[in-house]
Amino acid sequence: MKVIDLTHTITENMPLFPGTEPPKLTTVNDYEANGFRETLLQITTHTGTHIDPPAHVYSAKATLDALPPEQFIGRALVINCRSLKEGEAITLQNITNYGAKTAKADFLLFNLGWDRFWGTPAYFGNYPCLSDDALEFILNGSYKGIGFDVMGIDPINDETLRLHKKLFADKQIVNIENLKNLHLCGDDLFWFSCFPLKIPNADGSPVRAVAWFE
């Protein structure tokens, strides 16, 4: 079995959405004093490679802990959008280029090649986002989730979170952000998982997203 890690490591100096509190990893027990090592982890629920449920933007909609575990695992397809320039839209054509494979996928993961900018100011740039017709295609399907190798589904300066709200308004679906290594997953279907921490009333959670090939 071949496994590909699609997850960025959580560190105290990692890229964060503007205004987000940085993670803190504090050693609270160590080998010398206690005979074991233990770390206090302080992070927001949308740190690093993470997952959004509808409750991220709607107070009365599904939280992560309310979703069944099968929501976070299934067949995925990477949509190669690396040819798009800054500010260009991810179009319906980018998706339909993959033909019948799109209907067999549980997750559509959009490879913008943006993970190569991780840790640099360019990561916060004008990355491509879904066009309205591409998002409508997703909403008309039966997808468990979508994912991106950028900071968010919305442009980083869009305080209205328009695409988040449109995605979650009438759909029980999840959104994974800050993925990496999507270029290693090929152009066919593969197994994918993005299990969150089981936190009560969870508006989001870091995940260990992986792809595997049997």
Side-chain angles (χ1 to χ4, degrees):
M1 179 186 295
K2 177 183 177 182
V3 180
I4 298 174
D5 191 356
L6 306 179
T7 312
H8 289 287
T9 302
I10 294 175
T11 65
E12 292 188 338
N13 60 352
M14 69 191 301
L16 298 164
F17 192 83
T20 301
E21 187 76 18
K24 294 179 182 178
L25 292 82
T26 307
T27 300
V28 292
N29 288 291
D30 61 34
Y31 304 119
E32 291 75 17
N34 310 102
F36 64 94
R37 182 167 171 248
E38 188 174 20
T39 302
L40 175 64
L41 178 62
Q42 296 172 274
I43 56 173
T44 69
T45 49
H46 298 266
T47 295
T49 306
H50 69 273
I51 189 170
D52 301 339
H56 181 37
V57 291
Y58 290 109
S59 63
K61 294 193 180 294
T63 57
L64 285 174
D65 52 304
L67 296 173
E70 55 265 28
Q71 183 81 40
F72 312 113
I73 189 169
R75 300 288 274 174
L77 180 68
V78 168
I79 306 299
N80 186 356
C81 302
R82 293 171 71 94
S83 64
L84 295 177
K85 298 180 174 61
E86 286 193 39
E88 286 189 336
I90 302 168
T91 67
L92 178 58
Q93 184 67 50
N94 291 124
I95 301 173
T96 57
N97 282 341
Y98 289 82
K101 294 177 187 178
T102 61
K104 297 177 181 178
D106 299 301
F107 297 87
L108 296 181
L109 308 178
F110 294 89
N111 173 18
L112 300 164
W114 220 255
D115 57 331
R116 71 187 185 276
F117 299 131
W118 184 258
T120 75
Y123 195 72
F124 300 90
N126 190 19
Y127 47 76
C129 295
L130 290 170
S131 64
D132 285 333
D133 60 349
L135 183 51
E136 284 295 334
F137 176 89
I138 292 164
L139 293 174
N140 289 330
S142 56
Y143 299 105
K144 294 181 179 182
I146 56 175
F148 304 86
D149 58 0
V150 297
M151 188 65 74
I153 184 175
D154 285 288
I156 200 163
N157 59 355
D158 184 359
E159 296 180 359
T160 70
L161 301 177
R162 183 182 73 87
L163 296 177
H164 273 91
K165 290 176 179 176
K166 187 172 181 179
L167 176 67
F168 294 132
D170 300 302
K171 194 83 171 179
Q172 186 161 289
I173 191 170
V174 295
N175 173 49
I176 308 105
E177 298 171 341
N178 295 320
L179 291 164
K180 72 170 188 176
N181 290 337
L182 293 177
H183 64 288
L184 300 178
C185 295
D187 59 2
D188 210 342
L189 293 161
F190 57 91
W191 288 104
F192 171 75
S193 65
C194 54
F195 288 103
L197 297 172
K198 197 169 184 180
I199 303 168
N201 201 31
D203 55 77
S205 171
V207 298
R208 184 68 179 265
V210 297
W212 72 95
F213 304 80
E214 295 178 325

